[in-house]
Amino acid sequence: MAQGDIETFYENGEWKNKREGAGRAFGSGYGTKVEAVTVGRDTAKADKVEHVIKNQDGQIAGKNSYGNDPRSVPG
């Protein structure tokens, strides 16, 4: 992940959001993955960065880019 990207993940029995490069989560205690993903997505959109969503087991479930995509692929 690039500096500033947002990661949604599960840790110690709760869903959390963390900014890459930060020492601590900026959002935690979400009861469901959906709640955490919603906040993470909104933050990533506002900051124009990538949002990485992980499953409870830590595997990447999805990625969404809301910023400058360096690829110049038509379509």
Side-chain angles (χ1 to χ4, degrees):
M1 290 183 358
Q3 185 75 14
D5 287 348
I6 305 299
E7 176 184 9
T8 299
F9 63 100
Y10 189 79
E11 180 181 67
N12 299 326
E14 60 187 16
W15 288 97
K16 301 179 179 183
N17 285 306
K18 180 178 176 183
R19 186 176 309 281
E20 180 64 21
R24 298 184 334 178
F26 67 82
S28 63
Y30 301 105
T32 67
K33 182 178 180 179
V34 172
E35 291 174 320
V37 168
T38 299
V39 173
R41 179 182 58 239
D42 292 346
T43 303
K45 282 182 178 181
D47 294 351
K48 296 185 168 105
V49 296
E50 187 168 293
H51 182 207
V52 178
I53 304 161
K54 294 187 176 180
N55 289 327
Q56 197 167 353
D57 64 4
Q59 295 293 316
I60 294 175
K63 289 184 179 183
N64 296 298
S65 180
Y66 300 106
N68 298 323
D69 193 349
R71 298 184 308 154
S72 58
V73 178

